[in-house]
């Protein structure tokens, strides 16, 4: 079980090592703000933690991978918070004073519906739907009290489209989209926006681990998975880098995006243009 891997669906192009290369973070426009980033030890979550820290925010690096979370926190001057998001008590103990929440943690399981393990389906919903709900239930009162807050949900192109063999993941991302919209409607009067970012396949550990699973599910070689599965529906034939997703998350926290709420922003290389 892994409740901390980033979405599988990664500005100006990221710099060496996938770090953000634009001037947005360098303006330190989030100085004085606190942000919770879940699944922050690797992939999209780590890129978001790095980007928000570079923009001046104090980052709670939330992940179940203790050593990796501590390493990221030390590197960016953040605070490591070790928690398994599949456990309600652990989620309810997370910091409640965040001005910004980035719901990113997720996991994947690839199997046809009639063979999908019910316990795995339930686990994915707990991590990717219930945990974001519990986090927002705790953090929204702080945002409301100060009249400002930002909720950035790292959804997926699979929050807008479906693919075979991903029943739990697709269901969870669609649910996250609905939760995001409700928060947008409720939070608007309090200066809080809530949006989803919908990337295609991102170059993360979760995607790398999927290659063998997808090869088995589709009956093709691992070498064909990239072209026939990951990039078959995109116009831009490359994976997205995590830092590109982080750049979009940062932009949603700028004053220039303050009228955008309840939206789902595809960063999918043209996938949903079909």
């Amino acid at each position: 079980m892994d409740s901390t891997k980033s979405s599988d669906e990664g500005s100006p192009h990221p710099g060496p090592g996938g770090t953000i290369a634009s001037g947005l973070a360098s303006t330190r426009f989030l100085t004085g703000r606190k942000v919770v980033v879940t699944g922050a030890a690797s992939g999209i979550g780590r890129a978001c933690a790095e980007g928000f820290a570079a923009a001046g925010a104090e980052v709670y690096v939330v992940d179940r991978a203790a050593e990796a979370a501590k390493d990221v926190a030390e590197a960016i001057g953040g605070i490591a918070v070790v928690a398994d998001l599949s456990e309600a008590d652990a989620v309810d103990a997370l910091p409640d004073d965040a001005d910004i929440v980035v719901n990113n943690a997720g996991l994947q399981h690839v199997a046809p519906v009639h063979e999908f393990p019910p316990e795995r389906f339930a686990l994915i919903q707990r991590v990717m739907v219930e945990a974001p709900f519990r986090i927002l239930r705790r953090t929204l009162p702080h945002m409301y009290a100060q009249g400002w807050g930002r909720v950035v949900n790292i959804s997926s192109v699979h929050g807008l489209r479906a693919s075979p063999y991903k029943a739990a993941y697709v269901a969870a991302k669609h649910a996250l989209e609905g939760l995001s919209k409700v928060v947008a409607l409720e939070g608007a009067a309090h200066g809080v926006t809530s949006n989803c970012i919908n990337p295609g396949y991102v170059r993360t550990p979760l995607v790398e681990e999927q290659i063998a699973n997808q090869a088995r599910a589709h009956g093709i070689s691992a070498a064909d998975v990239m072209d026939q599965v990951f990039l078959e529906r995109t116009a831009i034939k490359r994976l997205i880098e995590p830092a590109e997703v982080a750049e979009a998350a940062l932009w949603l926290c700028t004053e220039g995006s303050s009228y955008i709420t309840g939206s789902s922003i595809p960063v999918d290389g043209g996938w949903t243009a079909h």
Side-chain angles (χ1 to χ4, degrees), residues 87-125:
E87 299 177 357
D89 289 346
V91 178
D92 290 343
L94 294 177
D96 62 1
D97 61 346
D99 308 299
I100 300 164
V101 169
V102 180
N103 285 311
N104 165 75
L107 65 159
Q108 181 62 278
H109 187 88
V110 178
V113 171
H114 66 284
E115 296 177 359
F116 211 102
E119 64 278 6
R120 192 69 173 175
F121 188 97
L123 169 67
I124 289 172
Q125 308 317 304

Side-chain angles (χ1 to χ4, degrees), residues 143-169:
M143 298 183 197
Y144 290 176
Q146 67 182 4
W148 191 94
R150 295 292 180 265
V151 177
V152 181
N153 298 300
I154 306 300
S155 180
S156 163
V157 70
H158 282 119
L160 306 173
R161 300 288 190 272
S163 292
Y165 310 117
K166 295 184 176 182
Y169 189 89

Side-chain angles (χ1 to χ4, degrees), residues 159-231:
L160 306 173
R161 300 288 190 272
S163 292
Y165 310 117
K166 295 184 176 182
Y169 189 89
V170 171
K173 290 301 188 184
H174 275 68
L176 183 64
E177 296 277 332
L179 175 63
S180 181
K181 289 178 173 62
V182 171
V183 172
L185 296 178
E186 294 182 3
H190 305 281
V192 175
T193 67
S194 175
N195 293 286
C196 287
I197 298 174
N198 302 79
Y201 287 106
V202 184
R203 193 183 306 279
T204 67
L206 187 57
V207 162
E208 293 169 358
E209 289 178 8
Q210 278 193 71
I211 293 176
N213 292 335
Q214 289 280 7
R216 286 192 297 269
H218 291 276
I220 60 178
S221 70
D224 290 333
V225 169
M226 186 71 73
D227 289 338
Q228 296 183 26
V229 179
F230 289 172
L231 302 180

